[in-house]
Amino acid sequence: GNSVTQMEGPVTLSEEAFLTINCTYTATGYPSLFWYVQYPGEGLQLLLKATKADDKGSNKGFEATYRKETTSFHLEKGSVQVSDSAVYFCALSGSARQLTFGSGTQLTVLP
Amino acid sequence: DTGVSQDPRHKITKRGQNVTFRCDPISEHNRLYWYRQTLGQGPEFLTYFQNEAQLEKSRLLSDRFSAERPKGSFSTLEIQRTEQGDSAMYLCASSLGDREGQPQHFGDGTRLSIL
């Protein structure tokens, strides 16, 4: 079946540091890949997505590239802010369209 | 776009009681999904509807769980004879259509606590 493995947290960075959160997946066929973010006290929000190999999703300074050869979709941001502190979830959507999520990575950015 | 709405936000009940949650999806979204999220984990798929038809159910959805979407709009998730292990956040999401990569929009969830 489908599965998503995320880099374990928590991750603590200083403001303006570079962020990478690793995500790899196992799936049959050609899934779509997503990053969702959950800010404290709020619901899950779509951050970015990619639907085919070599696509790059981007939003709010975050980027992730769909790498089929390495089955990865790592999240990156060049300069994090305190407001980026949240839990980040990598997810895939297979042929049946329901999402399979990773376990989440807690990010804390210190001023 | 008023977003996905879930009610109640919190539910505390005694073991053995029945509970029902409601989800109102974004209007015109024909797909509706239920997920369960426990502390420190990502959401896990439970079931989904296309319009009023329930198309798939996860093995996580035991016989004590039932979901409906009678008119293809709002949905309810009922848990009968609740158990301690049912304590979790129950999330509802909706999406438009069946195209590959269509994002799901999530509500804020209903947190269930079993005493």
Side-chain angles (χ1 to χ4, degrees), chain A residues 30-32 34 36 38 41-44 46 49 51 89 93-94 96-99 101-104, chain B residues 9 31 33 35 37 40-43 45 48 56 91 98-108:
Chain A
Y30 304 95
S32 294
F34 303 84
Y36 280 82
Q38 190 167 35
E42 298 184 17
L44 281 166
L46 177 68
K49 71 173 187 178
T51 58
F89 292 93
S93 171
R97 306 290 187 258
Q98 69 265 31
L99 293 170
F101 285 87
S103 57
Chain B
R9 291 293 306 273
R31 285 212 166 192
Y33 303 79
Y35 294 85
Q37 184 179 20
Q41 299 299 315
F45 169 75
Y48 86 89
E56 187 164 341
L91 299 171
D98 189 32
R99 285 189 300 115
E100 181 67 49
Q102 196 66 245
Q104 294 178 25
H105 301 262
F106 283 81
D108 288 341

Side-chain angles (χ1 to χ4, degrees), chain A residues 10-83:
Chain A
V11 174
T12 303
L13 296 173
S14 297
E15 204 164 27
E16 299 183 3
F18 184 84
L19 169 70
T20 299
I21 300 178
N22 290 339
C23 171
T24 57
Y25 68 89
T26 301
T28 54
Y30 304 95
S32 294
L33 301 174
F34 303 84
W35 278 99
Y36 280 82
V37 60
Q38 190 167 35
Y39 297 103
E42 298 184 17
L44 281 166
Q45 300 175 26
L46 177 68
L47 182 59
L48 53 83
K49 71 173 187 178
T51 58
K52 59 183 187 298
D54 301 324
D55 266 2
K56 176 184 285 188
S58 61
N59 186 26
K60 300 181 180 179
F62 290 90
E63 294 182 341
T65 300
Y66 190 144
R67 300 289 188 199
K68 189 165 178 62
E69 64 275 14
T70 54
T71 62
S72 65
F73 193 53
H74 304 320
L75 182 68
E76 297 182 336
K77 186 174 185 181
S79 176
V80 293
Q81 304 301 311
V82 172
S83 58

Side-chain angles (χ1 to χ4, degrees), chain B residues 67-108:
Chain B
E68 294 182 343
R69 194 182 183 198
K71 297 183 180 179
S73 56
F74 73 91
S75 176
T76 58
L77 178 67
E78 181 183 17
I79 309 174
Q80 296 182 327
R81 305 180 303 281
T82 51
E83 301 174 354
Q84 292 283 355
D86 296 333
S87 294
M89 178 75 85
Y90 290 84
L91 299 171
C92 177
S94 68
S95 68
L96 178 62
D98 189 32
R99 285 189 300 115
E100 181 67 49
Q102 196 66 245
Q104 294 178 25
H105 301 262
F106 283 81
D108 288 341

